[in-house]
């Protein structure tokens, strides 16, 4: 440990001796307009290479504007306003020989009635942008996205697959970490799904997909990180947006969202709120065939479940940045989530012999009431040390989760003559609390030749307290069930330090990073009168390197090669370490696993990119002790528990095409082929499975006129082999139409999701002792939605804000 820290310290000191970077300034002024700032004239700086937006600014009252800290390169300036003719400058070059460029005075001309058809410079960002260390999706490029939520957007993202339980896989691999604004969600499973469904897509700006995240990010997430960036205003005044959506499938659901911002010279206030009413229904069928040692059929099990879920989700956030001086900013942010819901499951289970003669029927009426609360606070400080971009930031986060679940299982066993042979009732009370504390500091220092060094330190402390109180109701009296009742506490502390270095040399761009993490954890199973107490402790220290190399095959950079490598870790979800057994129904139980080890993933990628039009990537991933759901059949009872898969390998190739077909039609296509291999000892069986799957997504956007646009999208995946599971093929086709109203401030969108109802989830489970198992889950995936969106407020002079990035990956490990 001491040697590793000394190595990091020496590396930081060595690299920080580089000279400061040289950046340039572009100055200009606009004439012919009275009060340019009041008329909301927007000046946009674009790169010549791909017309991507570098910076935007609203000029001063006298018409002057200035772009600072502009890197070396070729740029152009674009000015657009509905009252004036569009303007585009000649190419502006920032170089070592010319670091300051003063433009001639720009004279804007009034738009005449007959000039409305004049061509406007296209600076709209593409749906997909490739960076050296990430793929960026621009949410506004999806017309249908504004009518949905964050989960809807993720399901349309290339390489992302969301299963029926809300589990997200990225390029065929599980263990992806989901972040919001560089901060982890600290959620998983149904809770993460509910949270993402409560975030209106209209509040999202970008989605960053990182298979090998830079060292400044936590090392958690073996499959990488999905970072969802929300919209943030950088203009003075008061502005905001509101959305409202009604959808109708088998059931009706609603979703509303509000986003507000205010900025003056000293204070920036921001907030958002969301509400969603969910009314979902699932039709689930499960089949199991039990076999004799000679593999002949012993008995059959058919289970039919109708699962009715109703939930109300409310989330909100409010924050403030106070600009103490031109260089220092302090900020505070508060956020919260409240979810309450009821689940009703009516289940019929039929037990038959090998000849399909009914032996007995079990009728279950399972009821569940759930409450989920989350509150968080962020305190942050930013100090801009100089004008070239050297800065220091510090973040403190505290998060608290509180859940309460009340369960009731009523089971009645009927004989073939419909006589009752047995009745039982089980009650469950499952409160849980999680407290997370995080302190993070970061230092960023630009270097010459487009170089940058970043370094930082983080400590996080997590404390969980889970109680499971189960009681059997016998003759109207609730008696303790000690087989399922337990009390589990878990504490964890992670210390981390990192250094990240960027540099450019001729046609090469390099980014290297090293992160050191030390983890200490302690679990305490308190036991009960019939079960003994137990404890465990773990401590481990690891280094996580990342390397990116980009090479321009031509002087302009239209053709590029990118090579990357990264090492990642997956720590178990907090609740997965709880060793006791919890019933889901009479024949299905969930159990934690205190012996879970963290898994380590080694990811390699080689990419070729042509402009912003085409890219292809070869990927290889090797994971040791991958954490996955495992299934065991014991005396006819189905046990689901997390387990370590000894060795998992992934070979993948994908390509992305983003190109216009006609002026009014643009298409984006993503296609991927992945081969997976899993080898492990699993209970009584040896797991040795492999398979290849293909998935493809296409999005077509159409511009019919100034106010009308549309979108036609679809996706398809072949069957997927994942450890014990084979997921069946499925796909969907979606349609959306949008029209602007209220002079462009409002819009109406009508969309239809999964038109042909191809999103039915089905599959089989392998490597079960003398058992075959399969399932079919018919979700409410086909629905129509109508969305109204409205933006209000006025833009004034820009002001930069601090984006808090305090707490890290612990949030992704909170599981319901």
């Amino acid at each position: 440990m001491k040697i590793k820290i000394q190595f990091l310290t020496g590396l930081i000191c060595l690299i920080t001796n580089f000279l400061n970077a040289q950046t340039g300034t572009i100055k200009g002024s606009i004439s012919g307009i009275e009060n340019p700032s009041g008329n909301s004239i927007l000046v946009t700086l674009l790169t010549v290479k791909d017309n991507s937006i570098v910076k935007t600014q609203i000029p001063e009252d006298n018409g002057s504007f200035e772009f600072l800290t502009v890197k070396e390169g070729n740029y152009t300036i674009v000015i657009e306003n509905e009252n004036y003719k569009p303007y585009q400058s000649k190419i502006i070059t920032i170089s070592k020989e010319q670091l300051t460029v003063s433009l001639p005075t720009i004279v804007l001309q009034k738009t005449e009635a007959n000039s409305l058809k004049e061509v406007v410079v296209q600076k709209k960002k593409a749906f997909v942008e490739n960076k050296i260390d990430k793929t960026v999706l621009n949410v506004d490029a999806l017309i249908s996205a504004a009518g949905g939520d964050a989960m809807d957007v993720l399901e349309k993202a290339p390489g992302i697959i969301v299963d029926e339980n809300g589990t997200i896989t990225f390029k065929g691999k599980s263990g992806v970490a989901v972040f919001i604004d560089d901060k982890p969600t600290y959620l998983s499973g149904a809770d993460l799904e509910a949270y993402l469904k409560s975030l209106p897509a209209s509040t999202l700006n970008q989605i960053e997909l990182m298979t090998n995240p830079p060292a400044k990010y936590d090392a958690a997430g073996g499959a990488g990180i999905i970072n969802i960036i929300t919209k943030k205003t950088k203009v003075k005044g008061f502005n905001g947006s509101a959305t409202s959506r009604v959808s109708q499938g088998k059931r009706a659901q609603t979703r509303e969202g509000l986003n507000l911002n205010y900025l003056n010279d000293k204070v920036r206030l921001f907030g958002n709120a969301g509400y969603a009413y969910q009314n979902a229904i699932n039709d689930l069928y499960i089949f199991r065939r039990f076999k004799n040692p000679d593999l002949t059929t012993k008995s059959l099990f058919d289970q039919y479940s109708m699962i009715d879920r109703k939930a109300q989700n409310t989330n909100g956030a409010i924050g403030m940045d106070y600009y103490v001086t031109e260089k220092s900013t302090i900020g505070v942010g508060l956020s919260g989530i409240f979810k309450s819901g009821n689940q009703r499951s009516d289940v019929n289970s039929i037990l038959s012999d090998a000849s399909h003669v009914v032996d007995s029927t079990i009728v279950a009426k399972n009821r569940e009431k759930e409450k989920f609360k989350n509150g968080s606070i962020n305190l942050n400080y930013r100090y801009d040390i100089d004008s070239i971009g050297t800065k220091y930031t510090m973040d403190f986060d505290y998060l608290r989760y509180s859940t309460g679940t009340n369960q009731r299982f009523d089971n009645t066993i009927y004989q073939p003559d419909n006589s009752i042979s047995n009745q039982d009732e089980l009650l469950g009370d499952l409160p849980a609390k999680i407290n997370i504390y995080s302190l993070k500091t970061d230092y960023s220092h630009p270097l010459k030749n487009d170089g940058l060094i970043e370094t930082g330190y983080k400590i996080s402390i997590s404390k969980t307290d889970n109680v499971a109180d189960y009681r059997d109701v016998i003759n109207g009296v609730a008696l303790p069930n000690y087989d399922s009742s337990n009390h589990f506490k878990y504490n964890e502390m992670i210390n981390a330090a990192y250094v990240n270095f960027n540099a450019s040399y001729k046609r090469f761009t390099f980014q290297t990073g090293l992160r050191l993490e030390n983890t200490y954890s302690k679990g305490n199973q308190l036991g009960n009168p019939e079960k003994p107490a137990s404890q465990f402790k773990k401590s481990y220290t690891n280094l996580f390197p990342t390397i990116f190399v980009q090479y321009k095959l031509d002087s302009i950079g239209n053709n590029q090669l990118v090579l990357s490598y990264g090492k990642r870790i997956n720590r178990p979800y907090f609740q997965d370490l709880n060793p006791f057994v919890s019933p889901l129904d009479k024949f299905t139980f969930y159990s934690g696993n205190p012996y879970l080890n963290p898994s380590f993933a080694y990811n390699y990628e080689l990419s070729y990119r042509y402009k912003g039009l085409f890219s292809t990537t070869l990927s290889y991933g090797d994971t040791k002790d991958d954490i996955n759901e495992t299934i065991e059949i014991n005396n006819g009872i189905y046990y689901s528990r997390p387990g370590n898969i000894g060795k998992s390998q992934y070979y993948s190739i994908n390509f992305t095409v983003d190109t216009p077909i006609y002026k009014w039609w643009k298409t984006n296509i993503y296609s991927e082929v992945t081969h997976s291999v899993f080898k492990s000892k699993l209970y009584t069986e040896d797991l040795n499975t492999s398979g290849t799957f293909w998935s493809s997504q296409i999005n077509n956007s159409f511009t019919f006129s100034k106010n009308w646009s549309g979108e036609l999208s679809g996706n398809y995946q072949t069957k997927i082999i994942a450890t014990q599971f084979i997921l069946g093929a499925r796909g969907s086709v979606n349609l959306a139409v949008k029209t602007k109203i209220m002079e462009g401030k409002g819009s109406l969108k009508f969309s239809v999701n999964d038109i042909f109802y191809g999103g039915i989830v089905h599959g089989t489970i392998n490597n079960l002792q003398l058992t075959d198992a399969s399932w079919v889950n018919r979700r409410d995936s086909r629905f129509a939605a109508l969305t109204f969106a409205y933006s209000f407020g006025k833009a004034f002079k820009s002001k930069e804000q601090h984006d808090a990035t305090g707490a890290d990956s612990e949030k992704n490990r909170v599981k319901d």
Side-chain angles (χ1 to χ4, degrees):
M1 173 72 178
K2 183 177 180 181
I3 294 175
K4 292 178 178 178
I5 293 177
Q6 289 175 342
F7 173 74
L8 268 180
T9 304
L11 184 60
I12 293 171
C13 293
L14 176 64
I15 301 178
T16 50
N17 285 327
F18 277 84
L19 298 176
N20 287 349
Q22 298 186 68
T23 57
T25 301
I26 299 175
K27 301 177 181 180
S29 63
I30 302 172
S31 67
I33 302 174
E34 295 183 3
N35 190 17
S37 61
N39 280 281
S40 300
I41 300 297
L42 187 66
V43 184
T44 304
L45 182 67
L46 308 175
T47 62
V48 172
K49 180 177 67 175
D50 56 7
N51 271 357
S52 62
I53 298 176
V54 180
K55 296 183 179 182
T56 60
Q57 191 175 109
I58 292 175
E60 301 286 356
D61 292 340
N62 62 5
S64 65
F65 61 87
E66 186 176 25
F67 292 105
L68 302 174
T69 64
V70 180
K71 297 180 180 180
E72 295 180 13
N74 295 323
Y75 302 91
T76 184
I77 282 179
V78 169
I79 301 175
E80 291 180 18
N81 184 279
E82 59 184 4
N83 298 317
Y84 298 90
K85 293 183 179 180
Y87 167 84
Q88 182 174 13
S89 73
K90 296 180 179 179
I91 295 177
I92 305 165
T93 300
I94 295 293
S95 63
K96 296 177 182 179
E97 294 75 23
Q98 188 179 29
L99 292 175
T100 301
V101 176
S102 296
L103 302 176
T105 300
I106 299 170
V107 180
L108 295 184
Q109 299 178 353
K110 282 276 189 177
T111 301
E112 299 176 1
N114 60 0
S115 65
L116 293 177
K117 295 183 179 180
E118 186 171 355
V119 177
V120 176
V121 177
Q122 296 296 319
K123 67 173 186 297
K124 182 180 179 181
K125 290 189 176 182
F127 175 47
V128 177
E129 294 182 77
N130 291 308
K131 309 292 184 182
I132 186 173
D133 55 2
K134 69 188 73 171
T135 298
V136 179
L137 309 181
N138 294 296
V139 177
D140 283 343
L142 278 175
I143 295 174
S144 60
D149 52 53
M151 185 62 85
D152 293 333
V153 177
L154 281 184
E155 289 179 335
K156 293 180 174 65
I160 301 295
I161 296 175
V162 182
D163 72 8
E164 59 195 304
N165 301 313
T167 302
I168 300 171
T169 59
F170 182 26
K171 294 186 177 180
K173 294 186 286 186
S174 60
V176 64
V178 178
F179 283 54
I180 304 289
D181 291 328
D182 289 325
K183 302 173 67 174
T185 57
Y186 287 88
L187 299 170
S188 66
D191 286 334
L192 175 61
E193 181 182 23
Y195 176 64
L196 294 177
K197 282 184 173 294
S198 70
L199 295 178
S202 58
T203 64
L204 308 183
N205 182 33
Q206 294 178 327
I207 294 179
E208 298 177 340
L209 307 177
M210 294 176 273
T211 51
N212 287 323
K216 69 177 182 179
Y217 290 96
D218 285 19
I225 288 177
I226 299 173
N227 188 27
I228 300 173
I229 306 297
T230 60
K231 293 178 179 177
K232 300 179 181 67
T233 184
K234 296 183 179 181
V235 295
K236 280 186 179 180
F238 173 75
N239 58 79
S241 62
T243 59
S244 181
R245 164 172 152 160
V246 177
S247 62
Q248 179 68 56
K250 295 178 181 178
R251 305 281 181 83
Q253 304 186 63
T254 63
R255 181 177 298 108
E256 287 76 36
L258 178 67
N259 188 42
L260 300 173
N261 295 275
Y262 173 77
L263 175 66
N264 64 23
D265 288 331
K266 298 295 290 184
V267 176
R268 174 179 180 260
L269 299 173
F270 51 94
N272 62 73
Y275 170 80
Y277 171 69
Q278 295 173 295
N279 189 5
I281 187 168
N282 279 26
D283 183 358
L284 176 64
Y285 169 69
I286 294 174
F287 171 76
R288 297 169 191 162
R289 182 172 75 96
F290 301 102
K291 296 178 287 188
N292 295 304
D294 62 359
L295 302 183
T296 59
T297 300
K298 179 179 180 181
S299 61
L300 303 172
F301 173 88
D302 295 89
Q303 186 179 77
Y304 303 87
S305 303
M306 192 63 68
I307 304 171
D308 190 340
R309 296 186 181 95
K310 292 182 174 64
Q312 298 182 72
N313 299 285
T314 305
N315 70 283
I318 187 170
M320 179 187 74
D321 289 332
Y322 176 65
Y323 304 98
V324 182
T325 67
E326 286 295 321
K327 291 187 174 183
S328 60
T329 305
I330 57 175
V332 59
L334 302 171
S335 65
I337 306 170
F338 178 74
K339 168 189 171 184
S340 63
N342 298 308
Q343 178 173 301
R344 174 176 176 171
S345 301
D346 294 324
V347 185
N348 286 347
S349 303
I350 301 173
L351 299 177
S352 308
D353 63 18
S355 301
H356 296 273
V357 176
V358 175
D359 176 73
S360 61
T361 301
I362 299 90
V363 177
K365 297 184 181 298
N366 303 329
R367 305 294 182 263
E368 185 174 293
K369 292 184 178 180
E370 179 188 37
K371 288 187 176 180
F372 175 90
K373 298 178 183 178
N374 160 242
S376 66
I377 181 171
N378 168 265
L379 302 175
N380 60 78
Y381 172 75
R382 167 174 170 157
Y383 181 68
D384 294 308
I385 298 174
D386 53 38
S387 61
I388 65 170
T390 306
K391 63 183 178 181
Y392 169 80
T393 62
M394 181 172 63
D395 289 85
F396 170 78
D397 287 85
Y398 169 67
L399 301 98
R400 179 180 175 85
Y401 292 88
S402 176
T403 64
T405 303
N406 293 312
Q407 299 174 327
R408 179 179 177 179
F409 303 95
D410 288 323
N411 294 281
T412 303
I413 301 178
Y414 292 90
Q415 295 303 309
D417 60 0
N418 285 331
S419 62
I420 298 176
S421 60
N422 185 57
Q423 285 183 301
D424 61 73
E425 181 181 351
L426 178 67
L427 303 178
D429 182 19
L430 291 76
K433 295 179 181 178
I434 300 177
N435 292 282
I436 299 172
Y437 309 83
S438 173
L439 177 65
K440 183 173 182 283
T441 62
D442 297 279
Y443 173 78
S444 177
H445 184 77
L447 306 170
K448 65 179 181 179
N449 298 327
D450 253 357
L452 177 70
I453 184 168
E454 299 171 292
T455 185
Y457 167 78
K458 177 194 169 184
I459 180 173
S460 63
I461 299 173
S462 305
K463 298 182 178 182
T464 72
D465 191 341
N466 299 272
V467 176
D469 183 8
Y470 285 99
R471 296 177 179 269
D472 294 308
V473 179
I474 302 176
N475 298 323
V477 179
L479 303 176
N481 182 324
Y482 292 121
D483 285 335
S484 298
S485 297
N486 72 93
H487 188 180
F488 179 68
K489 293 185 176 181
Y490 178 79
N491 296 334
E492 181 182 84
M493 180 172 66
I494 301 175
N495 284 277
Y498 78 89
V499 59
N500 203 67
F501 173 67
N502 293 20
S504 297
Y505 177 74
K506 295 183 178 180
R507 294 188 181 183
F508 284 95
T509 300
F510 304 94
Q511 178 175 299
T512 60
L514 186 64
R515 187 177 185 90
L516 173 71
E517 292 190 353
N518 170 259
T519 305
Y520 173 78
S521 61
K522 179 173 67 175
N524 185 9
Q525 171 59 53
L526 300 183
N528 58 49
E530 295 184 3
K531 298 288 184 178
S534 61
Q535 294 183 345
F536 65 85
K537 296 181 181 180
K538 292 183 179 181
S539 179
Y540 46 92
T541 302
N542 303 99
L543 283 171
F544 300 93
T546 55
I547 300 173
F548 299 87
V549 180
Q550 182 183 70
Y551 178 71
K552 297 178 182 179
L553 296 175
D554 54 71
S555 58
I556 302 177
N558 287 337
N559 296 272
Q560 298 178 357
L561 290 176
V562 180
L563 178 68
S564 68
Y565 163 77
K567 178 184 175 183
R568 311 289 296 166
I569 185 174
N570 270 339
R571 298 182 180 89
Y573 293 119
F574 299 128
Q575 292 91 328
D576 282 351
L577 297 168
N578 190 341
F580 267 58
V581 176
S582 300
L584 298 178
D585 59 45
K586 193 175 182 66
F587 301 96
T588 306
F589 291 81
Y590 172 80
S591 172
N593 183 357
Y595 303 106
L596 281 175
N597 293 315
S599 66
F600 294 91
Y602 306 85
N603 301 321
Y604 306 79
E605 286 195 346
L606 174 63
S607 301
Y608 166 76
R609 299 166 181 174
Y610 175 69
K611 295 184 176 180
L613 303 177
F614 174 81
S615 67
T616 184
T617 300
L618 285 170
S619 303
Y620 170 72
D622 188 349
T623 303
K624 179 183 178 183
D625 289 333
D626 199 8
I627 300 173
N628 273 286
E629 180 185 10
T630 64
I631 306 299
E632 180 186 20
I633 295 288
N634 191 352
N635 295 323
I637 304 299
Y638 181 102
Y639 291 93
S640 170
R641 63 174 65 90
N644 288 118
I645 304 301
K647 187 176 182 62
S648 306
Q649 293 176 296
Y650 304 89
Y651 307 82
S652 178
I653 182 171
N654 67 71
F655 72 84
T656 301
V657 177
D658 193 358
T659 184
I661 306 298
Y662 297 103
K663 290 183 178 179
W664 52 272
W665 177 10
K666 187 174 183 180
T667 187
N668 177 271
I669 301 172
Y670 175 86
S671 193
E672 170 190 338
V673 177
T674 297
H675 179 74
S676 306
V677 180
F678 305 94
K679 296 180 180 180
S680 186
K681 182 72 177 178
L682 200 61
Y683 305 116
T684 59
E685 309 295 310
D686 288 321
L687 178 68
N688 188 355
T689 60
S690 63
T692 302
F693 77 88
W694 169 68
S695 67
S696 187
Q697 295 158 292
I698 183 170
N699 182 76
N700 296 283
S701 58
F702 308 97
T703 303
F704 304 122
S705 67
K706 178 180 178 181
N707 292 323
W708 284 89
S709 56
E711 183 178 288
L712 179 64
S713 63
N715 63 78
Y716 178 78
Q717 66 181 51
T718 61
K719 71 176 183 180
I720 298 176
I721 295 178
T723 60
Q724 288 180 269
F725 302 91
I726 299 178
L727 307 177
R730 60 187 173 112
S732 66
V733 176
N734 317 297
L735 177 68
V737 179
K738 170 186 172 182
T739 181
K740 296 179 181 179
I741 59 176
M742 305 171 68
E743 298 181 346
K745 294 183 178 180
S747 65
L748 282 175
K749 306 174 187 68
F750 177 75
S751 61
V752 183
N753 191 76
D754 195 6
I755 297 174
F756 303 107
Y757 201 31
I760 297 174
V761 180
H762 59 99
T764 60
I765 306 174
N766 295 322
N767 291 86
L768 300 174
Q769 186 179 28
L770 297 176
T771 305
D772 296 330
S774 61
W775 81 95
V776 178
N777 188 9
R778 294 176 172 85
R779 305 176 298 162
D780 195 6
S781 61
R782 179 167 56 188
F783 59 85
L786 181 65
T787 303
F788 169 72
Y790 178 72
S791 299
F792 51 89
K794 200 167 187 180
F796 296 94
K797 176 66 180 172
S798 301
K799 185 82 171 183
E800 188 174 7
Q801 80 284 340
H802 168 60
D803 294 331
T805 58
D808 278 310
S809 62
E810 298 76 23
K811 191 171 182 181
N812 293 287
R813 296 164 59 209
V814 177
K815 187 177 183 181
D816 61 359

